[in-house]
Amino acid sequence: MVDVAKLLEPVSQYRRRRSGPLILELDLTGGLAEEAPVTPLGEVVARRRQQLLDVVEGIRRGAQDPRVKALVARIDGQALGVAKVQEVRAAVAAFRAAGKEAVAWSESFGELGPGTVSYYLATAFDHIALVPTGSVGLTGVSLGQTFYGGAAERLGVRFEGGARHEYKTAPNRFTERSFTEPHREVVERIVHSLTDQVVGGIAEGRGLTADRVRELIERGPFLAAEALEAGLVDRLAYRDEVYGDLRRRHGAGSGGSGGSGGSAASERGGADPGSSPGGDGSGDDGGARLLYVGRYRHRAAVAERVPAARPAPYIALITATGMITSGRSRRSPLSGATMGADTVAAALRAARRDPHVRAVVFRVDSPGGSAVASDLIRREVRLTSEAGTPVVASMGDVAGSGGYYVTLGADAVVARPGTITGSIGVYSGKPVLTGLLERLGIAVERVDGGPHAAMFGTDRGFSESEWERVNALLDDVYADFTGKVAAARGLTPEQVDRVARGRVWTGRDAFEHGLVDDLGGLPAAVRIAREKAGLPGGRLRAFPTGGAWDRLVPADSSEDRAAAPRSGLVPAHGLLGELAVLAGWPQGAPLVMPERWEVR
């Protein structure tokens, strides 16, 4: 006789999985990506890389979903930008405000290394668990700069060029042996601002005073037992204990052993509740099911894209990351993504022609690049706004120099307090290899068709008349940049001069000086875009979107949305140029801040 109950069991399991309680899971050990995939291959690769938007939107969606009971995040010493960390912290705060539990756990916040920023992220959660053999690398904020001036001198290489003005310190790494006074002033101010933000966040999250946190930073790093005693973590536990306790509290039944027995079983090589039949997160036992935040958000987005009688209007998210260049956006194995003016401009044109796009959130994470390419993108941002599609710029970890320039056509500019921005200035020049060539016995001879024909060659320095032209170009770019800042931000030339001159600011300082409008990050940018579009419930969607075939077929014109996602790898012959960009040579990109603003 047929056992009907057994036959229907898969259906019952499916229903339980669809309607049962969820515990969202977040693994930040692989970092967070800003840029959306732009090719079919990129879409496949992106499935293994977490996107910031998926994480932030997934957590916020989970806060309103009655099925979602808790959030558990694995955090280590992985370097995450401060602005990204603040985006995630804000999402976690919204999750907790909805009355839901958020737990962070770590094998080690920087194993024998720095872990201040990652620990700062963890303090946004209700509880922090640390593996008993781990540590908390709470040692404070540090920004470093490597100077190659002495090495260049020994090699017989010198840098000839100019900057506007004293705070445009990008060339210093090749011309100096240590900080100049303006350079040190900029870095000290940024470290001070970021330290205040980190200390304040940790103090609030752990219920400590700011003075106590600063005292602890001076004593760090901490062994696990020391961190527990100091109140930096809530418990010492292994993964199986953390997950087992969570599942029990949220309807996991018998799944997960927890308690002291959990760690004993783990050390004996016993079954881990995270992988056992009763604790694998499947939810088949009627308990809470584990689901990665990114997968949760993707499934919800797919469900929303079910064809409707009339497509709903929405807010388009256009993401632009990397060094700003002319032409198409590309990805290099050396320097990562580039922000191609053609690609970004095509996306903006397509957005303002799409009747369903009511506003654009323009997400920028860039250290700058070509002045001309930056201006082309700024122009398209402005034209989109003037066409009746509001544009709100949202700054990521870094949006400085050209990365600030491209936001000047937006209706509003939003940053996070930890965003690195400003750097309103310009520099350009070239390496002069005369001494090195002489040492190597290499001679260069030229036949020039004019007195300035070879002025950018590296075998000699600038002549007096060439210097005149270099300075004229630098002055013109600087005047154009500062003039556009004054017009866009409603500032006087004197006010712009006080915040420009190449100086770099944190988002918090930039807000105080009128360079940005809000410090609420991506959520604030979406809110402002909705208000300006008169679309209170408008969804945020990556733009442009399409299937694999849409990404492969040629675009009909430069205004076709298919023109926007075209991308590829940097050709092999361009790798030397990539190395030069990584080294910090201008390479025709005078609005750039090549220092790596990596805060640990």
Side-chain angles (χ1 to χ4, degrees):
M1 185 175 179
V2 178
D3 189 338
V4 177
K6 184 174 292 187
L7 287 175
L8 293 178
E9 179 59 22
V11 177
S12 299
Q13 289 182 3
Y14 176 76
R15 286 177 176 171
R16 288 197 296 269
R17 287 173 62 86
R18 294 285 294 178
S19 60
L22 291 175
I23 296 176
L24 297 185
E25 187 175 13
L26 179 60
D27 188 339
L28 293 171
T29 58
L32 289 171
E34 279 274 13
E35 71 274 14
V38 293
T39 64
L41 178 60
E43 289 182 349
V44 174
V45 175
R47 291 179 178 273
R48 305 298 300 175
R49 300 182 65 209
Q50 287 190 111
Q51 302 292 315
L52 176 66
L53 176 64
D54 289 339
V55 168
V56 171
E57 289 294 295
I59 294 173
R60 290 182 177 275
R61 182 186 294 272
Q64 306 304 319
D65 187 343
R67 295 180 304 154
V68 174
K69 306 301 181 183
L71 168 69
V72 58
R74 178 185 178 189
I75 305 172
D76 66 357
Q78 168 77 23
L80 295 169
V82 176
K84 285 193 185 76
V85 165
Q86 290 171 342
E87 293 284 6
V88 177
R89 281 177 58 90
V92 173
F95 189 87
R96 293 177 59 187
K100 301 187 178 186
E101 183 179 13
V103 175
W105 75 280
S106 178
E107 293 176 359
S108 190
F109 292 104
E111 185 174 5
L112 296 179
T116 299
V117 176
S118 58
Y119 177 72
Y120 168 54
L121 171 57
T123 58
F125 291 73
D126 291 288
H127 305 287
I128 303 175
L130 177 67
V131 167
T133 49
S135 60
V136 176
L138 182 62
T139 55
V141 171
S142 177
L143 277 174
Q145 175 70 72
T146 302
F147 294 94
Y148 301 100
E153 185 179 323
R154 291 185 180 183
L155 291 172
V157 177
R158 73 179 189 276
F159 178 84
E160 281 200 3
R164 299 295 183 274
H165 283 279
E166 69 273 20
Y167 293 108
K168 194 67 176 179
T169 59
N172 288 8
R173 60 186 351 193
F174 300 105
T175 61
E176 305 293 336
R177 293 172 178 265
S178 61
F179 284 124
T180 62
E181 284 304 312
H183 197 165
R184 180 176 293 278
E185 180 185 342
V186 167
V187 175
E188 286 181 347
R189 177 57 204 165
I190 289 174
V191 169
H192 177 76
S193 179
L194 294 179
T195 297
D196 281 351
Q197 295 172 41
V198 169
V199 167
I202 293 174
E204 181 181 8
R206 300 305 299 170
L208 303 170
T209 65
D211 288 342
R212 174 59 174 164
V213 173
R214 293 179 186 276
E215 177 189 330
L216 291 170
I217 287 174
E218 293 176 359
R219 288 172 44 197
F222 294 85
L223 302 175
E226 294 172 334
L228 180 64
E229 182 180 0
L232 294 174
V233 301
D234 296 290
R235 66 184 296 203
L236 304 183
Y238 292 94
R239 178 195 180 278
D240 56 298
E241 297 174 298
V242 174
Y243 278 63
D245 289 347
L246 266 176
R247 288 178 54 96
R248 275 197 304 275
R249 285 198 300 275
H250 298 288
S254 60
S257 56
S260 60
S263 62
S266 175
E267 292 171 357
R268 291 195 304 267
D272 184 338
S275 59
S276 66
D280 64 353
S282 67
D284 292 345
D285 59 355
R289 178 167 60 98
L290 290 173
L291 184 62
Y292 278 123
V293 171
R295 296 294 296 159
Y296 169 75
R297 199 254 175 177
H298 274 297
R299 291 179 184 180
V302 168
E304 287 176 355
R305 286 198 292 265
V306 175
R310 294 184 60 185
Y314 63 95
I315 309 297
L317 175 68
I318 296 177
T319 303
T321 64
M323 194 73 72
I324 302 170
T325 66
S326 297
R328 300 288 186 192
S329 296
R330 296 182 181 274
R331 172 167 288 281
S332 163
L334 295 177
S335 60
T338 65
M339 185 195 306
D342 287 358
T343 300
V344 179
L348 289 163
R349 286 193 293 267
R352 66 177 180 257
R353 289 165 58 90
D354 189 326
H356 305 299
V357 174
R358 298 296 176 83
V360 171
V361 171
F362 182 38
R363 180 74 174 179
V364 178
D365 195 338
S366 170
S370 162
V372 175
S374 299
D375 190 40
L376 294 177
I377 294 172
R378 178 207 61 84
R379 172 74 174 175
E380 292 295 341
V381 170
R382 178 181 174 185
L383 290 175
T384 302
S385 172
E386 291 177 345
T389 303
V391 180
V392 180
S394 171
M395 294 179 168
D397 287 328
V398 177
S401 206
Y404 182 75
Y405 194 119
V406 298
T407 71
L408 295 177
D411 295 273
V413 181
V414 181
R416 279 290 178 188
T419 296
I420 301 298
T421 187
S423 193
I424 301 167
V426 55
Y427 83 100
S428 190
K430 64 178 181 178
V432 180
L433 309 180
T434 307
L436 177 62
L437 295 176
E438 288 178 354
R439 291 181 184 181
L440 297 175
I442 298 174
V444 178
E445 290 193 11
R446 295 181 181 276
V447 176
D448 300 332
H452 298 166
M455 67 179 288
F456 295 110
T458 59
D459 56 305
R460 66 173 179 81
F462 291 124
S463 68
E464 184 176 344
S465 62
E466 288 169 349
W467 265 116
E468 180 184 336
R469 299 316 304 154
V470 169
N471 284 320
L473 290 168
L474 291 173
D475 288 338
D476 182 71
V477 173
Y478 185 73
D480 175 75
F481 194 171
T482 54
K484 286 186 168 72
V485 172
R489 303 304 307 168
L491 301 173
T492 66
E494 293 75 20
Q495 289 173 317
V496 174
D497 186 65
R498 284 197 292 269
V499 298
R501 308 187 70 83
R503 182 153 186 166
V504 182
W505 305 96
T506 62
R508 187 179 72 174
D509 288 343
F511 176 72
E512 292 176 357
H513 290 295
L515 294 178
V516 302
D517 299 293
D518 197 295
L519 295 178
L522 191 58
V526 175
R527 172 180 52 79
I528 295 170
R530 286 171 176 161
E531 291 172 355
K532 291 185 176 296
L535 197 66
R539 291 288 186 183
L540 179 69
R541 296 182 183 175
F543 185 92
T545 56
W549 177 251
D550 297 322
R551 306 259 173 131
L552 292 173
V553 296
D556 289 336
S557 74
S558 61
E559 295 189 353
D560 187 348
R561 63 190 290 155
R566 314 297 290 178
S567 178
L569 293 174
V570 171
H573 62 77
L575 292 181
L576 287 178
E578 287 291 305
L579 286 171
V581 169
L582 283 177
W585 300 119
Q587 295 294 305
L591 300 186
V592 69
M593 41 188 302
E595 293 100 331
R596 290 179 61 86
W597 295 95
E598 184 175 286
V599 182
R600 300 296 295 272

